[in-house]
Amino acid sequence: MSQNKLKLFDLVSIGVGSIIGAGIFSMLMMGLSMTGRSIALALAFAMLVVFLQGIKSLFLSSMFALEGGMYAQQALILPPIFTGTTAITYVVSNMSMSVFGISIAQYLSQLIPALAPYQTPLGILIVTLAFLLTYKGAGALAKVQNLMAVCMYVALALFVFFGLKQGGTAEVMAAPYFAAGPMGFLMATAIMSFACNGGVNIMNLAGSAENPRRNIPLAFLLAEVICTVIYFLLGHVAGSVVPMGEAATSTMGTVAQQVMPHGFYVFFVVGGAIFALATSLLGGLASMSAPIVAGAEDGWLPAVLAKRGKNGSPYAALLLMYAITVIPVIGKFSLDSIVSFILVPGMFVNVVSLILCFKIPKKFPKEWDNCALKCPYWFYCLLIVLSMAASLITAIFSMMSQTMAGIIGNIAMTVFLFGFSYWRLKSGKVELKSIQSVTRGDGE
């Protein structure tokens, strides 16, 4: 049975693939336009900020092997009404998956113009194949994910190699670091943090991982380090080639065309851009079903979503995720705005859970003593404080970018999430089975 479990390399591939996706390819130039050559430093700092935001899940994953992933971690910490909002949030978050299918279809159409009129059916086909592969289980998914991850490493390495070989232009190299001052650098860091998210998806794979209490935290740490190095080098190359004033009208593709021979450029588009999007899609699908299944088993969501096929795959949850993902592709509209409506309730729940995290070592002394990540309690508290600060930085700059419609949507979503959670609690259908083994003290 262990041969079907995700090994450390598999988990690292999923983590890296979940981080390196549409964000870096679409937002790198936006960050460069805000801070110029210092975009490489902004990316490294953004990776640090995102890492600190994941500290809570990092420690909890090293203490408990919870099949419900981050949802179950929240259930372990939070009062029940907050746990309910978390379960529903995982369903809403799946709406953003459609972006990957649409983006892959667009890249393929650029390489093969004859496909341009068929972007919608192509996007549906891509999403469908991704879900079918996810349904086949962790073993099949890991093989494809690992292959694409290796190709992606090679493509990005070639981009960096040719970029460093060409060197920067005299105009760009003459420009100073932090060209827009400290505020420009912080704005670039906040924006780029959205391209650095995704590594925490690994935390949802405890039920599919080999030796989860060791391998999941280690895979998260390795994925963060690998992506920090990759992002720094990508930022350095782009910041050395594209002037700050031209960044807003440039893309990573135009940089690749400048620095790479045509054949290598084509490989970069396929192995870099398309495979990065594909690994993000597969990584997201693989990790997002576990919290939905756990939420259904606990009674927050319809019980049918907890049903599994003969191979153990959660087909009911995957079908719901498929419908949520494919509808925007068919309708040619994006539901990203709806996903952004969970910013405020998500931030509120996160702050409460971080405050309650200070009690975890005292509440679960046995698990703390056996934690795979050993550190003094005072250092753990310091990391939680830094995590709060990192979350606050992202939240402030995210709120600054919200429109009035976004603010109203956030308020309405907050009322709905807590109202729905309260209603389910009063219905008597909620029973937190996902954490019973821990609360009863008969499991890790």
Side-chain angles (χ1 to χ4, degrees):
M1 186 166 177
S2 62
Q3 65 266 24
N4 294 322
K5 293 284 189 177
L6 295 170
K7 295 178 173 58
L8 179 61
F9 184 80
D10 303 326
L11 293 167
V12 173
S13 294
I14 291 173
V16 173
S18 297
I19 296 170
I20 303 177
I24 189 65
F25 288 92
S26 62
M27 302 175 76
L28 177 59
M29 294 303 160
M30 187 188 305
L32 203 158
S33 69
M34 294 177 177
T35 192
R37 290 177 61 200
S38 48
I39 183 60
L41 297 174
L43 277 163
F45 191 56
M47 284 298 304
L48 175 61
V49 167
V50 170
F51 167 74
L52 289 173
Q53 290 174 343
I55 286 292
K56 171 190 70 182
S57 291
L58 179 67
F59 273 93
L60 288 171
S61 293
S62 69
M63 293 171 66
F64 308 99
L66 299 168
E67 291 196 13
M70 288 190 291
Y71 159 77
Q73 290 180 359
Q74 295 286 67
L76 201 61
I77 301 171
L78 292 167
I81 192 167
F82 286 86
T83 304
T85 68
T86 302
I88 307 162
T89 297
Y90 273 105
V91 176
V92 177
S93 298
N94 277 278
M95 294 178 177
S96 62
M97 291 292 174
S98 62
V99 173
F100 298 116
I102 294 168
S103 298
I104 292 171
Q106 290 172 343
Y107 270 108
L108 287 173
S109 298
Q110 290 174 15
L111 285 179
I112 310 172
L115 294 176
Y118 309 103
Q119 284 191 28
T120 298
L122 187 58
I124 295 171
L125 176 62
I126 290 164
V127 169
T128 303
L129 290 174
F131 271 93
L132 289 174
L133 182 60
T134 305
Y135 175 75
K136 286 183 71 67
L141 178 71
K143 290 177 182 177
V144 175
Q145 189 87 353
N146 290 341
L147 177 62
M148 288 195 293
V150 170
C151 289
M152 182 176 68
Y153 296 148
V154 173
L156 295 176
L158 287 170
F159 175 87
V160 171
F161 171 77
F162 283 108
L164 294 175
K165 182 180 177 183
Q166 177 174 305
T169 63
E171 176 190 357
V172 175
M173 299 306 285
Y177 276 87
F178 308 104
M183 186 54 68
F185 178 79
L186 290 175
M187 286 292 290
T189 297
I191 288 294
M192 296 316 301
S193 68
F194 292 102
C196 300
N197 280 315
V200 289
N201 285 345
I202 306 171
M203 311 296 182
N204 290 326
L205 297 172
S208 305
E210 189 177 85
N211 194 3
R213 289 178 56 248
R214 173 190 175 273
N215 285 350
I216 285 182
L218 181 56
F220 175 72
L221 290 168
L222 289 173
E224 293 291 310
V225 171
I226 290 169
C227 288
T228 299
V229 173
I230 292 174
Y231 275 10
F232 179 85
L233 292 172
L234 292 178
H236 176 74
V237 169
S240 299
V241 173
V242 181
M244 184 175 173
E246 298 176 14
T249 56
S250 300
T251 66
M252 276 190 72
T254 58
V255 177
Q257 280 184 307
Q258 276 185 259
V259 302
M260 303 177 78
H262 179 71
F264 286 107
Y265 161 71
V266 172
F267 178 71
F268 172 77
V269 172
V270 176
I274 292 178
F275 281 9
L277 292 165
T279 52
S280 291
L281 175 59
L282 290 173
L285 296 181
S287 61
M288 291 297 264
S289 61
I292 294 175
V293 170
E297 290 175 340
D298 285 359
W300 301 110
L301 302 171
V304 68
L305 294 177
K307 290 185 175 295
R308 295 180 181 272
K310 292 181 179 179
N311 67 344
S313 292
Y315 71 87
L318 287 173
L319 281 174
L320 173 65
M321 292 165 63
Y322 177 77
I324 291 173
T325 303
V326 83
I327 287 172
V329 182
I330 296 172
K332 298 182 180 180
F333 61 91
S334 173
L335 294 176
D336 280 355
S337 57
I338 297 178
V339 176
S340 72
F341 289 168
I342 63 176
L343 173 66
V344 168
M347 179 179 63
F348 182 43
V349 171
N350 187 49
V351 168
V352 173
S353 67
L354 282 170
I355 292 172
L356 294 176
C357 266
F358 290 110
K359 298 181 179 180
I360 287 292
K362 308 295 183 184
K363 188 176 180 181
F364 302 100
K366 179 182 175 183
E367 288 81 2
W368 174 253
D369 289 339
N370 295 323
C371 179
L373 295 175
K374 298 290 185 182
C375 73
Y377 177 67
W378 68 265
F379 186 69
Y380 166 79
C381 292
L382 174 62
L383 289 175
I384 295 298
V385 171
L386 291 174
S387 184
M388 287 180 176
S391 299
L392 188 61
I393 289 172
T394 304
I396 289 173
F397 283 100
S398 297
M399 286 304 298
M400 287 172 60
S401 66
Q402 288 285 307
T403 62
M404 182 55 68
I407 294 172
I408 294 172
N410 268 278
I411 294 171
M413 184 63 79
T414 302
V415 172
F416 166 74
L417 288 176
F418 280 93
F420 184 88
S421 184
Y422 178 78
W423 169 68
R424 292 299 289 178
L425 276 173
K426 289 297 182 182
S427 72
K429 296 179 180 179
V430 174
E431 182 184 357
L432 299 182
K433 299 176 182 177
S434 61
I435 58 171
Q436 278 182 351
S437 63
V438 175
T439 54
R440 285 199 308 255
D442 59 356
E444 290 187 344

